[in-house]
Amino acid sequence: MSNINQAGSADEQQAPGALVEWEQRVAGYAGEPPFVEEPQRLSAIAAALKDAAIAAAIAAALFLFFIGFRTDIAIGGLDLTTRWQAFGTAIVVVFVGRLLFRILLWRPATKAGTRPLLLRAFGSGEGTPLSEHFARHSKSVGVVALVAAVLYPVIILALFPMKDKQFIDLGVLVLTYIMLGWGLNIVVGLAGLLDLGYVAFYAVGAYSFALFAQFFEVGFWFALPIAGILAACWGLILGFPVLRLRGDYLAIVTLAFGEIIRVVLLNWYTFTGGPNGISGIPDPTFFGLEFARGDDNLPGLLGIGYDSAYKQAYFFYIILALAMITNLVTLRLRKLPLGRAWEALREDEIACRSLGINTTNTKLTAFAIGAMFGGFAGAFFATRQGFISPESFTFMESALILAIVVLGGLGSQMGVVIASIVMIGGFELFRDFAEYRMLIFGLLMVIIMVWRPRGLIATREPSAILKERQTISADMVAQGEGH
Amino acid sequence: MTAQNPLLAVEGVETYYGNIIALRGVDIAVFEGEIVTLIGANGAGKSTLMMTICGNPQARKGRIVYDGEDITHLPTHDIMQRSIAQSPEGRRIFPRMTVMENLQMGALVTDGASFDADLQRVFDLFPRLKERQHQRGGTLSGGEQQMLAIGRALMSRPRLLLLDEPSLGLAPMVVKQIFEVIKDLNREEGLTVFLVEQNAFHALRLAHRGYVMVNGQITMSGTGAELLARPEVRAAYLEGGRKEAAE
Ligand SMILES: Nc1ncnc2c1ncn2[C@@H]1O[C@H](COP(=O)(O)OP(=O)(O)OP(=O)(O)O)[C@@H](O)[C@H]1O
Ligand SMILES: [Mg+2]
C-alpha cells in the first residue's frame, strides 16, 4: 500500500486505479477531522473524576460509622475506638476503583461516541479486535504460554523457596482444569453437544485408577490408558441414549448421567468405599523410580536431596504433558475429516447428513474422545490427591468446567487457558473469603457474558489449509465488506 | 432418453410426518442427463419429496430406486455417499466456516484425490466464491450463499444433483446466473439435475421435463414447453391465478 503523499505526487507512475483509490481515500477522510477525539476524552476524564469524587463522598458518609468507629463490649458499657487509617483506605479504594471503572469500562448511555479506554483497546461485543488479535497471533501466544508453563516450576522453586509447594500446586490445579476444559471443548465447543455431566468421566477415570491400584496394585502409568479407555466406554454409553437429543434436553440427560455416576459411587460401599472414598492411591513413578526419601529413590540418585516440592513439580510436568496431548490431538483432529464433521455438526446437523456425514458416529466419537481425556485427567487427579471420594465429583465441578469453556469462548483453546487461570486463580485468591467465592464467581460470569457474549475469544480460527496468502484483512471480512 | 432405466425412480412413495400424510403416492422418474423440475404451491410437499429421496424422513410406502439399487430404507449418509448431492432448502451452509472450509466439507465423501480439480471447477463456475474463499459463510450475501450451497454439493462429484429452490430470495440477475450454471453443468458434463422450484417460468424453460405437485400428489407432467403451454399451469403458477379469476 502506498501512502497518501506518494500517491499524490507521483501519480503518473502509478496504475490508474491507484489514483482513484487515493481519491476515494481522501474523500473518506473528508468528513472525519482527526483532532476531535482529544477534548472529548479530557472532558470524559473530568467527568470521571467528578463521579469518583461523589462516590468517595458517599463512601465517606457511610463508612464513617461502618468502619471509622468500632465498638467493643467492655466492662460497664461499650468501648469506642476510632480506626481512621482503615477508614481512609476504604475511601481511597472506592475513589480509585470508581475512577478506573469509569475510565476503563463503563460506557455512559448518553454519549455513544466516547468509548472507554479498555473497550477501545480490546473491543466490545460487536467489533472484535481482541479475538481477532488472538486469532492472528494464536500460534506465538501459544508458544509463549507453553514456554512460560514449562519454566513455571523452575522459577517458583528459585524465587519462592518458602511457598514453592503451594504455588506449584496451584499450577497443577489450573492445568488440570485446562485439560478438563480442553476435553469438554471437544464435546461442547466443537461438536456443539451441551454436556452438563462431564465430571462423570473425570470420576470414572479417577475411580478406575484407584480401584485398579487397590485390587491389582498397578501403577499410574499402567492405569492411565485403562482409565482413558473406560471413560471413553462410558462416553459411548452416555452417547447412545442421547443421540437424538439436542440443546436443553441433551443438557438435562447429561446432567442426570453425571449425578447417577456420583450416586452409584456413593452407595456402592463394598466396591467403592462409599462416602469414605479410596485412599492410599500410589504416586506416579519416574521410569520405576519414586519421589521419596532414601538413596534408592530419584532425588537420592540425582543427589539433589528430598524436597516435597520436587514431587509437586513432577506432577506439574505430568499434567502439562497430558494437557498438551489433549490440545495437540484436538488441534490435529480439527484439520481431519472427523474434526471437521464435529464442527459441521455443531453448525447444522441436516446439512451434515446431506453431505454424507454419519452423524451418529460423529456424535459418539465426540462423546468418547471428550470422555477419554476426562478419564486421563481423573486418573491424574487420583494419583495427585492420593485419596478420592464422591465429594470431588459433584455437579459443581461440571458447572465449573463448562463455565471455563463457555467463558473462554466455545471452541477456543486459548480461551480455555485464560478462563482457567482467571477462574481457578481467582478462586485461590479469594480463598480467605470462602463465603463470597460463589458471589464473585457469579459476578465474573455475568460481567464477561455482558462484555463478550460469545466468550473471551469468540473468533473461530479457520482450519482450512490456506494455499494462497490472505489478502483481505480479517476484521474487514468479519463485517462482510472485504473487497 | 426413454427406453433405458431411469437414474432415479420414485415409485408410489408415501411419506408421513407423524400421523400427517405429506406425500400421497408419488411417482417420478429422472433419466441420466436430464434436468427435471418439480413445481408446486407452498406446502405441496416438494421439499418433503426431496428429503424423502435422501432418506430423511424415510418413505413409509413405495420405493426409491437409484441407479438400479433400492435406497428406500438406507440411512441418509449412506444415500448421500452414492454420487447423489443435495443443496437443501434454505441453503444450510455452515455459517462459521469459511467458504473454503464449506467446500472442503462437500468433498468429505470423496477420497480427496480430485479435490484441486473439483475446487477449480467450482471457482470457474462461481468466480465470486474464489474472491471470497476466506470469508465466513454466514457473512456472504444470499446469492453468494446459494452459490456456495451449489458449489459445496458439486464438490462431491455427483451424478445426480438435487436442488431445492435455488432461486429463493435472489435478484433476477443472480437467478439467471445460477440457472445458467445449472444448464452448463448439464450440457457440458451431462450432470443429471432434479430441481424443485417456485419460480415456475424459469424452471420450466430450463428443464427437459417437469412435474406439478398439488397437495402431496403429482397432478401433471410433461416436457417443460408442454407444461408452460398448459393453461392451468399458467393460471396457477405463472400469473398468480389472475386468468382463472377473470374467466
Ligand atoms: N417436520 C415436519 N413436521 C410436520 N409437518 C411438516 C414437516 N415438514 C413439512 N411438513 C408439512 O408437510 C407439508 C409439505 O411441506 P414441504 O416443506 O414439503 O412443502 P413445499 O412444497 O416444499 O413448500 P414450499 O414451497 O413452501 O417450500 C406442509 O403441509 C408442511 O406443513
Ligand atoms: Mg420447500
Side-chain angles (χ1 to χ4, degrees), chain A residues 340 343-344 347-348 350-351 353-358 454 458-460 462-464 466-467 477 482-483, chain B residues 56 76-77 80-81 86 92 94-98 100-101 104-105 108-109 116 132 134-136 139 152:
Chain A
R340 284 305 188 67
E343 286 198 83
E347 308 241 314
D348 195 324
I350 291 180
R353 280 202 218 107
S354 83
L355 293 176
I357 295 169
N358 184 339
R454 300 181 66 184
T459 310
R460 175 186 167 277
S463 56
L466 302 180
K467 294 226 169 79
V477 173
H483 202 57
Chain B
N56 177 34
T76 304
H77 62 91
M80 303 316 290
Q81 286 171 7
Q86 182 201 23
R92 291 192 175 268
F94 301 114
R96 293 185 74 192
M97 293 192 185
T98 64
M100 179 62 94
E101 286 172 313
Q104 288 180 342
M105 291 306 301
L108 223 54
V109 294
D116 289 325
R132 310 253 153 183
H134 304 301
Q135 190 172 332
R136 285 173 209 281
T139 63
R152 187 178 65 180

Side-chain angles (χ1 to χ4, degrees), chain A residues 56 98 234 313 433 467:
Chain A
R98 179 78 190 177
W234 281 100
F433 313 94
K467 294 226 169 79

Side-chain angles (χ1 to χ4, degrees), chain B residues 17-196:
Chain B
Y17 289 113
N19 290 324
I20 304 161
I21 188 161
L23 297 181
R24 307 159 189 267
V26 172
D27 295 283
I28 272 181
V30 180
F31 291 90
E32 183 107 47
E34 266 191 320
I35 300 178
V36 173
T37 187
L38 175 66
I39 60 174
N42 288 129
K46 307 181 296 296
S47 300
T48 304
L49 175 58
M50 178 158 287
M51 292 312 287
T52 306
I53 293 171
C54 296
N56 177 34
Q58 292 200 340
R60 205 174 282 183
K61 273 206 188 120
R63 52 183 217 136
I64 299 166
V65 180
Y66 175 73
D67 200 16
E69 183 190 6
D70 188 338
I71 59 168
T72 322
H73 299 294
L74 290 182
T76 304
H77 62 91
D78 259 358
I79 296 173
M80 303 316 290
Q81 286 171 7
R82 284 172 164 63
S83 70
I84 301 179
Q86 182 201 23
S87 158
E89 185 168 34
R91 298 160 196 151
R92 291 192 175 268
I93 56 159
F94 301 114
R96 293 185 74 192
M97 293 192 185
T98 64
V99 169
M100 179 62 94
E101 286 172 313
N102 267 279
L103 292 174
Q104 288 180 342
M105 291 306 301
L108 223 54
V109 294
T110 68
D111 58 2
S114 60
F115 180 81
D116 289 325
D118 294 337
L119 187 68
Q120 196 51 50
R121 179 173 74 140
V122 169
F123 283 163
D124 288 344
L125 290 172
F126 302 111
R128 264 308 249 285
L129 293 184
K130 181 167 188 167
E131 258 173 54
R132 310 253 153 183
Q133 55 180 306
H134 304 301
Q135 190 172 332
R136 285 173 209 281
T139 63
L140 294 175
S141 80
E144 289 163 349
Q145 290 190 7
Q146 188 61 59
M147 293 174 199
L148 181 56
I150 298 176
R152 187 178 65 180
L154 289 174
M155 288 301 289
S156 64
R157 316 205 115 199
R159 275 170 77 192
L160 173 64
L161 178 63
L162 307 174
L163 296 174
D164 197 339
E165 298 202 31
S167 72
L168 190 73
L170 303 187
M173 275 297 291
V174 184
V175 174
K176 216 176 134 197
Q177 194 187 343
I178 282 176
F179 276 32
E180 211 63 50
V181 167
I182 297 172
K183 200 175 186 173
D184 288 349
L185 282 170
N186 173 261
R187 195 178 296 157
E188 282 157 28
E189 304 181 20
L191 181 68
T192 311
V193 180
F194 181 60
L195 172 71
V196 166

Side-chain angles (χ1 to χ4, degrees), chain A residues 182-198:
Chain A
W182 278 340
L184 184 61
N185 215 357
I186 294 175
V187 185
V188 181
L190 290 184
L193 303 163
L194 184 52
D195 184 351
L196 289 184
Y198 191 64

